[in-house]
Amino acid sequence: MRIRLEQLNPTIGDLSGNKELILSSIEKAGEDGIELLLLPELMTCGYPPMDLLEREVFRESVYKLNREIVSATGETAVIFGSITENLSGVGRKMYNSAIAAQRGEEINRVHKALLPTYDVFDDLRYFEPGNEFEPVIINGFPFGITVCEDIWFNDNEIQYHIYDKNPAEILADKGAKALINISASPFNKNKPVSRKNMLQKHAKNLGLPLFYVNSVGAQTELVFDGDSLAFDGAGTMKARSKRFEPDVVDINFNPQNNEVKVLTDVAANFDNPPKEEVIFKALVLGVRDYLEKSGAAKKVILGLSGGIDSALTCVIAKEALGAENVKTVTMPSEFSSEGSVSDSEKLAQNLGVELIEIPIRGIFDAFKDALGPHFEGTDFGVAEENLQSRTRGGLLMALANKFGYMLLNTGNKSEMAVGYCTLYGDMAGGLSVISDVYKTEVFDICRWLNKEYYKKEVIPESILTKEPSAELRPNQKDSDSLPDYGTLDTILTYYIEEQLSREQIINHGIDPEVIDKVLRLVDMNEYKRYQAPPGLKVSAKAFGTGRRWPLAQQWTGQEKRMLDKIFKSSSFNA
């Protein structure tokens, strides 16, 4: 049986565009003699459609599209993901389903049983869980069909709850001779390894071939990497698609002996690429799709400070959109180093992007003059530092408004975590590109870009070696206010992504006073992150919809009162 795994890039809500993608895939599969075509989860409407599902007209339009797709099928059997109506009269109004169709008729439909509600997922808000597990006969062969989370049975990176049903195992017990999983599984930097290991374990433990197809593309903050996979019944990986782009993998499956052979020219090397590469490719795809699918702008603008964060953001923008669609601005002040401008000029020249210079000293002086009578008798401090950042943010937004650019925010995860950023200043923007990338990772990716991607010095070495600084006061360095980034990022990873307690982090041998300072800063700056632009998710726990921390609460307050004995004030006011 010739089976095709086809990872496509749908757009949420673009029913006509998604229909075109699906019908084109069906037609091409028929021409190529494919007997079974597998397409991703919720391919008709895109994932996650969120509260679009609450609109009756939207649901009815998707149901109509389901019928049109089914009627368009020929000899090639097709399995595609969509919503389907719950006609039982009880429970939620719809299911998240896999629809199997052939020769213009629906063969069967399978409803997603395990509905995740952790991190960015909210399936139980909309969908009724499926509770029937029976193999589906396609071309005379019994397949066990599952949808995304169904195959991740109790095998996620952070176990929020324990499922009591293992759909793959139940289907195997009921006579399925091969497993199929259609997914819209978001990327994170650990996912390529954990996903492959999880699927391999299922195939090996159950002794069944397993065919997995995943969505590709970005939907606001979520990036889907594709990475579709095929395993034989011994758990041996037989095929792996490209990542971060639409791709097709054709398999010859022999039902008589469960032999799985690859028909298409896929990468012979199944090794996982370095994290720097996958994070970079995810961010490039995220920027490109965000602009294209939102329709907000065709060009972007960003500030270049001569620092590492704006350098990486600029490279990502250039690779995503082309140099002609990227405008950069350097805005030196009296506290800016010489490299702030010269390094920005060299980077822009290397990338071929436009750079303009708007000095802000005169504007900053005008602010100080206006506030002088009211600030009289006080020392230069956080308020004056942030005025510079807000001046830059205002200028960038003015240029974006005037010429129809989208402003890209350049803040990293380390800064966002501890509040080392300015509301309505350097936090301005329509998309936060690297807000889920720690400072140490920013350096690693930039070094990888020069060494492996470009194979030459595109990001100036002077940017890579200079000590990080906000340059908002004389001789300012990040290390004046923060632990070294290696220590900071280690603590943040333990606290945010691994969700370890203070005591558990201390057990890793880190100074308790440093831990207390960092945890306090993270908790006290949640209000800033509530007002931040959407950011692209590349970790297991990003700031955004996947981390919901209350602003008005007393748990953090109890910790604050204890820690105030050590730290009487914070220097990270907005």
Side-chain angles (χ1 to χ4, degrees):
M1 186 184 304
R2 293 169 64 93
I3 301 176
R4 171 168 291 177
L5 318 178
E6 184 160 6
Q7 57 190 44
L8 295 171
N9 186 350
T11 298
I12 293 173
D14 183 9
L15 302 191
S16 60
N18 297 340
K19 173 184 174 181
E20 185 176 336
L21 286 175
I22 295 168
L23 294 185
S24 176
S25 295
I26 292 173
E27 181 179 4
K28 185 68 168 59
E31 293 172 354
D32 293 343
I34 298 298
E35 294 167 84
L36 175 58
L37 171 64
L38 308 181
L39 300 176
E41 176 185 15
L42 291 192
M43 185 60 217
T44 53
C45 59
Y47 184 88
M50 303 172 76
D51 283 2
L52 288 175
L53 295 173
E54 294 183 348
R55 296 181 177 269
E56 183 178 6
V57 64
F58 181 80
R59 297 195 302 272
E60 292 298 332
S61 296
V62 178
Y63 301 151
K64 179 176 181 291
L65 177 55
N66 292 343
R67 295 190 291 271
E68 292 174 353
I69 293 169
V70 169
S71 66
T73 58
E75 290 302 310
T76 299
V78 180
I79 298 175
F80 66 97
S82 188
I83 64 169
T84 60
E85 191 171 7
N86 177 10
L87 299 174
S88 70
V90 295
R92 294 159 186 83
K93 294 181 179 179
M94 74 207 90
Y95 297 100
N96 179 345
S97 305
I99 299 175
Q102 189 177 30
R103 303 185 188 96
E105 300 289 338
E106 184 174 313
I107 300 172
N108 211 324
R109 58 180 62 176
V110 174
H111 307 312
K112 188 174 182 177
L114 307 184
L115 301 181
T117 57
Y118 56 85
D119 195 48
V120 297
F121 305 107
D122 211 358
D123 280 26
L124 202 56
R125 176 184 175 98
Y126 309 102
F127 302 119
E128 185 68 10
N131 55 18
E132 296 181 3
F133 304 93
E134 294 292 341
V136 175
I137 307 301
I138 299 175
N139 295 331
F141 188 83
F143 287 97
I145 301 174
T146 58
V147 181
C148 202
E149 183 79 359
D150 292 343
I151 205 73
W152 285 91
F153 169 78
N154 296 339
D155 211 356
N156 282 285
E157 291 163 297
I158 299 177
Q159 201 64 58
Y160 291 86
H161 57 265
I162 304 297
Y163 295 115
D164 61 354
K165 295 177 181 177
N166 184 342
E169 187 177 81
I170 295 172
L171 288 165
D173 289 343
K174 291 198 171 186
K177 299 302 182 184
L179 298 174
I180 290 171
N181 183 265
I182 64 169
S183 276
S185 177
F187 165 82
N188 71 56
K189 59 195 174 189
N190 300 316
K191 186 67 73 72
V193 174
S194 63
R195 179 194 290 136
K196 178 256 183 185
N197 291 342
M198 176 274 297
L199 294 170
Q200 191 169 45
K201 183 175 73 173
H202 271 295
K204 185 176 181 179
N205 288 349
L206 298 174
L208 299 179
L210 193 158
F211 308 108
Y212 169 89
V213 63
N214 190 29
S215 190
V216 70
Q219 313 287 3
T220 310
E221 63 186 321
L222 301 183
V223 180
F224 299 86
D225 55 335
D227 198 19
S228 301
L229 298 147
F231 299 84
D232 66 15
T236 303
M237 182 164 57
K238 292 295 186 178
R240 190 169 202 170
S241 72
K242 296 176 183 177
R243 299 179 180 90
F244 304 109
E245 60 181 283
D247 195 24
V248 167
V249 173
D250 289 348
I251 302 294
N252 188 36
F253 171 53
N254 186 339
Q256 303 303 317
N257 58 15
N258 282 347
E259 185 179 57
V260 177
K261 289 185 177 180
V262 182
L263 296 175
T264 45
D265 182 21
V266 297
N269 185 0
F270 290 147
D271 292 340
N272 291 292
K275 286 186 179 180
E276 293 85 1
E277 178 181 336
V278 293
I279 292 173
F280 177 71
K281 288 185 175 181
L283 296 174
V284 169
L285 176 58
V287 170
R288 182 186 299 129
D289 270 14
Y290 186 74
L291 264 72
E292 182 176 327
K293 293 180 179 182
S294 69
K298 296 185 181 299
K299 298 186 177 185
V300 296
I301 189 169
L302 66 147
L304 285 186
S305 67
I308 193 80
D309 300 319
S310 60
L312 177 56
T313 304
C314 190
V315 172
I316 292 167
K318 181 260 181 183
E319 292 295 325
L321 307 171
E324 69 279 7
N325 294 314
V326 180
K327 187 183 186 75
T328 62
V329 189
T330 180
M331 295 165 283
S333 75
E334 61 182 296
F335 305 121
S336 298
S337 65
E338 181 181 347
S340 175
V341 175
S342 61
D343 290 342
S344 297
E345 290 174 340
K346 188 173 182 181
L347 175 71
Q349 183 178 13
N350 290 347
L351 292 174
V353 301
E354 181 185 2
L355 173 69
I356 64 172
E357 181 177 333
I358 305 177
I360 69 164
R361 180 165 186 168
I363 303 172
F364 179 46
D365 288 343
F367 270 121
K368 289 193 294 183
D369 289 344
L371 291 166
H374 309 286
F375 282 9
E376 187 175 359
T378 64
D379 295 330
F380 184 103
V382 172
E384 287 83 0
E385 291 179 24
N386 288 341
L387 269 176
Q388 298 165 78
S389 181
R390 290 181 175 125
T391 297
R392 293 184 172 112
L395 292 172
L396 289 168
M397 284 303 305
L399 290 166
N401 292 160
K402 190 69 173 178
F403 300 106
Y405 304 123
M406 175 180 285
L407 173 59
L408 296 182
N409 180 270
T410 63
N412 63 62
K413 188 172 187 175
S414 307
E415 296 170 348
M416 286 289 291
V418 297
Y420 198 62
C421 46
T422 304
L423 278 172
Y424 326 121
D426 61 344
M427 289 181 66
L431 178 67
S432 193
V433 179
I434 60 170
S435 64
D436 199 28
V437 183
Y438 290 115
K439 187 79 166 188
T440 50
E441 293 177 318
V442 172
F443 276 101
D444 290 343
I445 294 169
C446 287
R447 293 188 185 100
W448 172 84
L449 283 166
N450 279 354
K451 183 179 179 181
E452 302 294 339
Y453 188 76
Y454 292 116
K455 300 187 183 302
K456 61 180 181 179
E457 186 182 306
V458 170
I459 299 173
E461 185 66 20
S462 52
I463 291 180
L464 290 168
T465 56
K466 72 173 60 173
E467 189 171 352
S469 171
E471 296 188 341
L472 298 177
R473 64 174 183 263
N475 303 313
Q476 183 181 26
K477 299 290 185 290
D478 290 4
S479 56
D480 298 338
S481 305
L482 300 173
D484 70 88
Y485 277 111
T487 300
L488 175 63
D489 291 351
T490 298
I491 296 171
L492 294 174
T493 300
Y494 287 146
Y495 188 54
I496 297 169
E497 293 174 35
E498 298 185 25
Q499 301 184 35
L500 301 187
S501 68
R502 174 184 181 273
E503 289 69 25
Q504 290 171 317
I505 299 174
I506 289 174
N507 289 337
H508 285 274
I510 303 173
D511 184 345
E513 288 193 7
V514 176
I515 294 171
D516 288 340
K517 179 178 180 179
V518 172
L519 300 195
R520 179 173 184 264
L521 290 172
V522 173
D523 291 345
M524 294 300 293
N525 283 284
E526 188 65 30
Y527 74 101
K528 289 188 180 182
R529 294 186 288 271
Y530 264 55
Q531 301 177 70
L536 300 174
K537 174 180 164 63
V538 295
S539 76
K541 179 64 70 174
F543 297 125
T545 59
R547 187 178 187 273
R548 304 171 193 180
W549 199 263
L551 292 181
Q553 44 88 17
Q554 286 296 309
W555 172 253
T556 300
Q558 293 176 37
E559 294 180 335
K560 177 180 182 296
R561 284 190 289 274
M562 291 185 293
L563 297 175
D564 271 346
K565 296 176 182 179
I566 303 172
F567 302 99
K568 293 182 179 179
S569 64
S570 169
S571 62
F572 302 117
N573 295 321

